[in-house]
Amino acid sequence: MEYSELPANAAEMRLSPYKKDFQHSYVFGVFPIIELADNRPSALFRIILSSKLGEEGRRLLTEKAAAEGVPVTVDDRTIERLSPKENCFAIGAFRKFSAPPDADTDHIVLVNPSDRGNLGNIVRSAVAFGFRDIAVVRPAADIFDPHAVRASMGALFRIRPAYFDTFDEYLAAAGRRNLYPFMLCGSPMEAEAPDRTLPCSLIFGNESAGLEDAFAHMGTPLRITHENTVDSLNLTVAAGIGMHWFRQEVH
Amino acid sequence: MEYSELPANAAEMRLSPYKKDFQHSYVFGVFPIIELADNRPSALFRIILSSKLGEEGRRLLTEKAAAEGVPVTVDDRTIERLSPKENCFAIGAFRKFSAPPDADTDHIVLVNPSDRGNLGNIVRSAVAFGFRDIAVVRPAADIFDPHAVRASMGALFRIRPAYFDTFDEYLAAAGRRNLYPFMLCGSPMEAEAPDRTLPCSLIFGNESAGLEDAFAHMGTPLRITHENTVDSLNLTVAAGIGMHWFRQEVH
């Protein structure tokens, strides 16, 4: 795992509202901060508490911080400055992280996802279905945007994310594998069983445009069977159904 | 189908930003307005166009309005007042509608859904998987809130929605049927096939709390198998996977 470099004074520097080009991001709420401390301890560099945080949450986070050697401060003004919502009582500041895709594992590949909330929700589903490597092809929403972090419900800290400028760049890094692009011209997923003789990649396109035609000639394009009264399923729903299909052994 | 009553001057009255207690709501965008005109023509009572709307969109909506006998106006100030986003070029105003659940069809039942975006997304999935009757048990988000309408991508106009104050009230109206509550204590869905000897209801609980324990004694409680690294799936994702399972005949 690679972690972003922070300035030497990261433990004391004034924290500003998130911007995409930051080397760090924020996670809001006690439970997601604990997920961060437990699963990506090297990324966590600071915990800020609201004076309104309850006894139990304060105890839990103070213990975690001590265990990881991370500074904790009670600082309502920083909370107010960084949090988009009023009922935020704890913030974890963490370094961004990434990892080249593991050639031996199954991957989720998101090509040009445009919605940060979808990105976070897909991360949540991916972890639920046992995927750890998530590749994102640009242009794409920012997986470290606090909205995406929030939607992932802490699952972001269990994955190995990697961004690529092109799908070919991903392929070159991913190792030999079976490709399953999800697209309307694919064959019915329900009649296929995943071929696990190699590691696999499930590939999902943009919310509006889907995957471009070139993917129809890669691996085994699949379609989720549904009535044509709606154009398509929501990306998060389609990805969830695809992952569930891949993990089930009943076929 | 029952439609809300509007004042006699509905075709000319000043339209205000949506509130939950209104008898009418709004849908934004050319495509969803066409879905409304095609599938719930009796609900549509007015179309407002932006002067920035393109030639093709204007032609399509003017034709639909003429066919349905609905007034169309170009009115940028109303567009500005009603639309939450800047790039809205057309608004359809429609009467709310509801229908008692059909005793002969399969239903989706949402118990206490709290997020209007989720509600709209679930409607979109439901229509994709051939469900038409959607029952919502209060307290619950508002299926006619423009955010829910938007998330449904026009699918709202293909369903028969009904609200109930309690689940028992729904049951009394729904007719004899097989119940499938989705909950963590259920048996693995993947090992079950839907029993179609009666119409069925797939039942999903609140985003955070799920279904209360009493549902464990109703019908056949089901669980979507996933790793316990995440507490639960996103409600929209879980509902999509449940509906997909129900519609597939491969089991």
Side-chain angles (χ1 to χ4, degrees):
Chain A
M1 188 66 52
E2 288 165 30
Y3 294 93
S4 292
E5 290 288 344
L6 291 178
N9 69 339
E12 306 93 37
M13 70 180 180
R14 184 180 195 274
L15 297 171
S16 304
Y18 180 75
K19 291 209 183 81
K20 191 170 179 170
D21 60 355
F22 280 6
Q23 300 300 306
H24 69 279
S25 184
Y26 308 112
V27 57
F28 303 113
V30 174
F31 167 77
I33 296 173
I34 289 173
E35 285 286 295
L36 165 57
D38 287 347
N39 297 294
R40 284 280 172 267
S42 311
L44 178 64
F45 68 91
R46 209 151 132 196
I47 295 177
I48 303 110
L49 308 181
S50 157
S51 60
K52 292 181 212 139
L53 178 64
E55 192 63 39
E56 173 73 2
R58 180 186 291 232
R59 189 185 57 74
L60 275 168
L61 291 181
T62 309
E63 279 175 21
K64 285 288 170 197
E68 303 299 337
V70 165
V72 190
T73 47
V74 178
D75 179 351
D76 289 339
R77 289 180 64 177
T78 298
I79 294 263
E80 215 170 286
R81 189 167 66 243
L82 301 185
S83 165
K85 294 199 175 176
E86 287 199 357
N87 59 351
C88 170
F89 299 145
I91 297 178
F94 65 94
R95 297 193 283 164
K96 295 184 180 180
F97 50 90
S98 68
D102 184 334
D104 297 325
T105 65
D106 302 312
H107 302 169
I108 299 298
V109 186
L110 303 172
V111 180
N112 311 142
S114 67
D115 184 280
R116 54 199 181 172
N118 282 348
L119 208 44
N121 262 312
I122 292 171
V123 167
R124 180 177 171 190
S125 297
V127 170
F129 291 120
F131 295 89
R132 286 296 177 275
D133 285 273
I134 304 207
V136 183
V137 178
R138 294 188 185 95
D142 175 11
I143 207 166
F144 290 110
D145 184 293
H147 285 88
V149 178
R150 181 191 295 268
S152 85
M153 304 277 282
L156 179 70
F157 305 116
R158 294 175 181 264
I159 67 159
R160 303 160 41 89
Y163 273 79
F164 296 90
D165 284 328
T166 65
F167 185 75
D168 283 347
E169 202 181 283
Y170 160 74
L171 271 189
R176 203 166 149 248
R177 54 185 45 246
N178 292 327
L179 303 178
Y180 291 102
F182 281 75
M183 50 203 308
L184 293 177
C185 68
S187 55
M189 175 191 83
E190 298 77 13
E192 299 273 345
D195 171 4
R196 299 174 187 284
T197 53
L198 285 174
C200 298
S201 292
L202 308 190
I203 309 164
F204 302 93
N206 170 267
E207 286 85 349
S208 304
L211 289 172
E212 53 188 64
D213 293 346
F215 284 91
H217 309 289
M218 295 186 202
T220 308
L222 296 176
R223 166 170 52 91
I224 298 168
T225 305
H226 63 77
E227 299 196 5
N228 60 12
T229 43
V230 299
D231 277 354
S232 64
L233 294 165
N234 169 283
L235 173 61
T236 306
V237 172
I241 292 172
M243 295 180 210
H244 179 261
W245 163 82
F246 187 76
R247 286 304 180 205
Q248 302 316 310
E249 309 291 340
V250 290
H251 296 277
Chain B
M1 188 66 53
E2 287 164 31
Y3 294 93
S4 293
E5 289 289 343
L6 291 177
N9 69 340
E12 306 92 37
M13 70 180 180
R14 184 180 195 274
L15 297 171
S16 304
Y18 181 75
K19 292 209 184 81
K20 192 170 179 171
D21 60 355
F22 281 6
Q23 299 300 305
H24 68 279
S25 184
Y26 309 113
V27 57
F28 305 113
V30 173
F31 167 77
I33 296 173
I34 289 172
E35 285 287 294
L36 164 57
D38 286 348
N39 297 294
R40 282 281 172 267
S42 311
L44 177 64
F45 68 90
R46 208 151 132 197
I47 295 177
I48 303 110
L49 308 181
S50 157
S51 61
K52 292 182 211 137
L53 178 64
E55 192 63 38
E56 174 73 1
R58 180 187 293 232
R59 189 186 57 74
L60 275 168
L61 291 181
T62 308
E63 279 176 20
K64 285 287 171 198
E68 303 300 337
V70 165
V72 190
T73 47
V74 178
D75 179 351
D76 289 339
R77 289 181 64 178
T78 298
I79 294 264
E80 214 171 286
R81 190 167 67 242
L82 302 185
S83 164
K85 295 200 175 175
E86 287 199 357
N87 59 351
C88 170
F89 299 145
I91 297 178
F94 65 94
R95 297 192 283 164
K96 296 184 180 179
F97 50 91
S98 67
D102 184 334
D104 297 325
T105 65
D106 302 313
H107 301 169
I108 299 297
V109 186
L110 304 172
V111 180
N112 311 143
S114 67
D115 185 280
R116 53 199 181 172
N118 282 348
L119 208 44
N121 263 312
I122 291 170
V123 167
R124 180 176 171 189
S125 297
V127 170
F129 291 120
F131 295 88
R132 285 297 176 274
D133 285 272
I134 305 208
V136 183
V137 179
R138 295 189 184 96
D142 175 10
I143 206 166
F144 290 110
D145 184 294
H147 285 88
V149 178
R150 181 191 296 268
S152 85
M153 304 276 282
L156 179 69
F157 306 116
R158 293 175 181 264
I159 66 159
R160 303 160 41 88
Y163 273 79
F164 295 90
D165 285 328
T166 64
F167 185 74
D168 284 347
E169 202 181 284
Y170 160 73
L171 272 189
R176 205 169 148 245
R177 53 186 46 247
N178 292 326
L179 303 178
Y180 291 103
F182 282 75
M183 50 202 308
L184 294 177
C185 68
S187 56
M189 176 191 82
E190 297 77 13
E192 299 272 345
D195 171 3
R196 299 175 187 284
T197 53
L198 285 175
C200 298
S201 292
L202 308 189
I203 309 163
F204 301 94
N206 170 266
E207 286 85 349
S208 305
L211 289 172
E212 52 188 65
D213 293 346
F215 285 90
H217 309 289
M218 294 185 203
T220 309
L222 296 177
R223 166 171 52 91
I224 298 167
T225 305
H226 63 77
E227 300 197 4
N228 59 12
T229 42
V230 298
D231 277 354
S232 64
L233 294 165
N234 170 284
L235 173 61
T236 306
V237 173
I241 292 172
M243 294 181 212
H244 179 261
W245 162 82
F246 187 77
R247 287 303 180 204
Q248 301 316 311
E249 308 291 339
V250 291
H251 297 278

